[in-house]
Amino acid sequence: MEERVLSARDQVALMLKNGIRFEICTEDEAEDFLSRSNLFFKVKAFDKNFDKYENHDNPKYGQYVNLDFAYLVDLSRKDAVLRELVLDLALDLEHYLKVMVNRVLMESDLKVDVLIEEFFAFSKKKGLEQIAQIPLCETADVAAEELHHLSTAFLNMRSSGKTKSELASIQARIFSAAYSLSSGIDCDHVERSLRHLGSSRYSRKLVEKYGTLGAMQPWHFMEMASFGDFIAFFKFLFFDSEERDRLKRCPNVAADMQNAQHIKRLLFPAKTLRNAAAHNDCLLNELKRRMKEPIKSIHKYLIELDDISKLTIDKAWQIPAVHDYASLLICYELLVPNGETKVRVAREMLESANSFSENLSYYEGQDNVLCALTLIAEVTKCFSKRWQPSERTVSSANKIVK
C-alpha cells in the first residue's frame, strides 16, 4: 500500500482519531509545532509511554487513556535536554579516560611498543571465538555456499579484466554474505574503522602517518579510535593484556587500577547512551521497559547517596534510559577530577534538573513516566550538588582573590 506524506493538519487529525487530546496545547499550536519545531514521527514516538484502552467492548478501544499532545511536546523537550547533557558528560568522560590511560602508561614500566599489536590480535581472536559459538543452521549453509560462489565469480571477473564498478558490486555482495555467515561479527572491525577515518579531512593526515601497525603507539590509537574501540582497548589494557600483572604491582597506578575495576561494567551502558544521544535518537520513549540484566552496583551506588528516595530508585532504576544515565554519572564521578570541569557541568546539570522536574503533574496516573522523570531529576540534582564546590571552598577562594 502506497503511503502519502501527511500535512500537519492531517497529523493532528490522526492523533485525534487515536484519542490524543488538544486541550493544553491547541490544534493550531500543534500544527505550528509539527511544522516548525519537530517531526511528527519523532514526537509520536513518546506515545509508547502511555496506556491505551484494552477492553474490546469499550468504544474507545485502542485509543489513549489520558494523553494530551502537550505531554508529548513536554517529553520531546526533556529528551532534548537529556541528550545535550549526556553528550557533554560523555565527551568529558572520554577525555579523562584517555588521560587516565596516558598516566598509567607514563607511570608504569609497560612494553608500550607491542600493546597495540597485542590488542588487535586479541580483538580478532575474541571475534573468532564468538563466531565459533554461533550454532550452524540452514541460513549459515546458504551464506557459505553463496560466499564460495561469489568468491569464484570475483576471481574469474578479475582475471578477465572487468571494470572496477563491476568488481566493486560483487565485492560488496561477498562482504554481505560473509557478514551474514558471522552473524554480523567483524573480527577486523577495529582496523577497518581506523581505515575509514582516512576519508575525513580532519583525520586523514593522522591516519596516513600513524594508522598502521608498527607506526601506531597507544597515544596515536587513542586519538583515532571511536569511543567504543577505545573502551575495548581500555578494558584490554587493564584486564586482558599480558602487562596487567605488571600494572597490579605498580604502586603509582593503584588508584587507577581500582577505578578501572569499578567502571569496567558501567562503560558499556554509558557508551550505549552516548551513541544514542550522538545519533539524535529518542531516549525517553521506552519508559515502560525494564532491563533484563541490570547492573546491580548501580542500584547500590544510588541507594548509598542518601539524597534520593529509595522507593523512587526501586521503581525506576531498571528503566534503560535511567539505568544507562546513572552509569554515565557514576563513571563521571569516579574518573573526572574535582575542579573546573566538574563545576561547569554541575551548573548545567542543575538547570537540566529543573527542566526534568517541570510539568510532572502531566504524568499522574502514568507511573512509569512519572517515576522515570522524577529519578532522572533527582540523580541529576544530587550529582550536581556533589560536584559543586562547598560554600567553605568558595569563601576561601574569594578571600584569595581579594
Side-chain angles (χ1 to χ4, degrees), residues 206-221:
L206 188 65
V207 174
E208 287 174 357
K209 189 170 184 179
Y210 300 113
T212 57
L213 286 176
M216 195 188 314
Q217 295 296 336
W219 43 94
H220 301 142
F221 176 76

Side-chain angles (χ1 to χ4, degrees), residues 51-63:
D51 297 329
K52 290 183 176 182
Y53 291 100
E54 296 180 352
N55 187 344
H56 287 265
D57 297 328
N58 192 318
K60 292 185 176 181
Y61 170 74
Q63 294 186 352

Side-chain angles (χ1 to χ4, degrees), residues 21-85:
R21 305 190 312 273
F22 292 86
E23 296 172 2
I24 301 172
C25 175
T26 68
E27 293 179 32
D28 288 340
E29 289 170 336
E31 286 181 30
D32 187 68
F33 180 80
L34 292 169
S35 299
R36 299 174 182 274
S37 300
N38 216 320
L39 315 175
F40 175 61
F41 187 75
K42 196 174 188 73
V43 175
K44 195 175 181 303
F46 298 104
D47 66 14
K48 292 195 289 289
N49 294 318
F50 297 88
D51 297 329
K52 290 183 176 182
Y53 291 100
E54 296 180 352
N55 187 344
H56 287 265
D57 297 328
N58 192 318
K60 292 185 176 181
Y61 170 74
Q63 294 186 352
Y64 292 98
V65 175
N66 176 28
L67 175 55
D68 192 288
F69 183 73
Y71 304 174
L72 301 180
V73 173
D74 183 64
L75 280 176
S76 71
R77 287 172 174 162
K78 286 176 166 59
D79 196 78
V81 171
L82 182 59
R83 282 199 307 274
E84 289 179 15
L85 182 56

Side-chain angles (χ1 to χ4, degrees), residues 216-339:
M216 195 188 314
Q217 295 296 336
W219 43 94
H220 301 142
F221 176 76
M222 288 193 291
E223 280 298 304
M224 295 185 286
S226 67
F227 190 36
D229 288 342
F230 169 66
I231 287 174
F233 175 70
F234 176 91
K235 292 182 178 179
F236 167 77
L237 174 65
F238 284 101
F239 306 108
D240 297 299
S241 71
E242 294 181 5
E243 300 290 302
R244 65 186 182 279
D245 291 332
R246 187 177 298 188
L247 278 177
K248 291 176 184 177
R249 295 193 298 269
C250 181
N252 293 345
V253 298
D256 290 322
M257 289 292 291
Q258 188 176 29
N259 279 335
Q261 186 64 51
H262 286 321
I263 67 172
K264 181 180 179 181
R265 295 189 63 209
L266 300 178
L267 286 173
F268 179 78
K271 181 204 75 169
T272 301
L273 186 69
R274 175 261 190 199
N275 287 351
H279 287 103
N280 212 25
D281 294 340
C282 295
L283 306 181
L284 299 175
N285 62 329
E286 293 281 2
L287 302 182
K288 288 185 176 183
R289 282 181 55 204
R290 295 295 184 274
M291 302 280 292
K292 290 182 179 178
E293 296 181 4
I295 300 171
K296 293 179 181 178
S297 60
I298 293 175
H299 181 267
K300 183 173 183 290
Y301 203 100
L302 294 180
I303 291 293
E304 290 177 352
L305 292 176
D306 292 331
D307 295 335
I308 305 173
S309 159
K310 184 179 183 300
L311 180 62
T312 303
I313 293 171
D314 289 342
K315 282 186 175 181
W317 79 281
Q318 296 181 61
I319 295 171
V322 180
H323 174 276
D324 295 352
Y325 179 52
S327 73
L328 177 60
L329 290 171
I330 295 168
C331 287
Y332 196 100
E333 172 148 290
L334 294 174
L335 266 291
V336 179
N338 293 330

Side-chain angles (χ1 to χ4, degrees), residues 66-167:
N66 176 28
L67 175 55
D68 192 288
F69 183 73
Y71 304 174
L72 301 180
V73 173
D74 183 64
L75 280 176
S76 71
R77 287 172 174 162
K78 286 176 166 59
D79 196 78
V81 171
L82 182 59
R83 282 199 307 274
E84 289 179 15
L85 182 56
V86 163
L87 288 175
D88 279 352
L89 290 164
L91 284 171
D92 287 345
L93 175 63
E94 182 176 358
H95 173 75
Y96 282 101
L97 275 169
K98 291 176 179 178
V99 170
M100 175 183 174
V101 169
N102 191 61
R103 181 172 58 247
V104 166
L105 296 177
M106 289 191 298
E107 298 188 3
S108 60
D109 187 24
L110 301 184
K111 298 176 183 177
V112 294
D113 289 345
V114 297
L115 268 178
I116 295 299
E117 288 189 30
E118 285 182 2
F119 168 61
F120 277 37
F122 173 81
S123 297
K124 190 164 191 171
K125 180 183 176 185
K126 189 175 179 181
L128 288 170
E129 288 172 351
Q130 289 174 330
I131 292 173
Q133 293 175 5
I134 299 170
L136 293 177
C137 58
E138 288 183 12
T139 54
D141 292 338
V142 171
E145 187 176 336
E146 184 181 5
L147 187 59
H148 174 72
H149 168 73
L150 289 170
S151 300
T152 304
F154 179 78
L155 292 173
N156 292 337
M157 289 173 69
R158 191 169 184 179
S159 62
S160 62
K162 293 290 183 179
T163 65
K164 284 186 177 180
S165 61
E166 289 175 308
L167 289 170

Side-chain angles (χ1 to χ4, degrees), residues 352-364:
S352 300
N354 293 333
S355 298
F356 298 140
S357 299
E358 289 176 355
N359 301 322
L360 290 183
S361 60
Y362 286 176
Y363 310 106
E364 291 175 4

